[in-house]
Amino acid sequence: MSLSLPPSAGAAPDRGRLPSIATLAVLAALSWAAVILWARSPMMMDAMPGRATFAGAAAFAGMWLLMMAAMMVPALTPVVLLFRTMQRGRAAHGSPAVPTAAFVGGYLVVWALAGIGADLAYYLARAAGDQLRAGSSAVPYLGGGIIVLAGLYQ
């Protein structure tokens, strides 16, 4: 399986392909190592979703971002290489090119924002659930609504 488009006839060789792959592999490996270390620490409980403090939300966002980098960067590698090839082509034609690091960084920022949004939604749903009596008929609808929203997000 090829990880990028084949070079065009007469195109300059892509000397940055292997360093790009190596950089992404190191990023994923460091993220996995950080997730494993964090999971073994007592601070892990501070990273649970739905905390009402800024520190709790920041801990969750940090853990979410690490997990996303660990899991998604390896799967993103072919797309990164395709993006890099396209940007090299743009630069060769004199058009402005976006750095590959900006693409990867933007991808991770979007995942971080999705995690922060999910954390906020969890906190709000839990707060709404606390306001309802446990025997209230609205509780199943609240849970069902959350599942529907999660499905729509997917």
Side-chain angles (χ1 to χ4, degrees), residues 54-65:
F54 177 77
F60 174 77
M63 178 51 95
W64 176 271
L65 183 59

Side-chain angles (χ1 to χ4, degrees), residues 100-125:
T100 305
F103 176 73
V104 174
Y107 180 85
L108 292 175
V109 165
V110 168
W111 269 112
L113 292 174
I116 291 167
D119 185 39
L120 178 62
Y122 177 79
Y123 173 76
L124 293 174

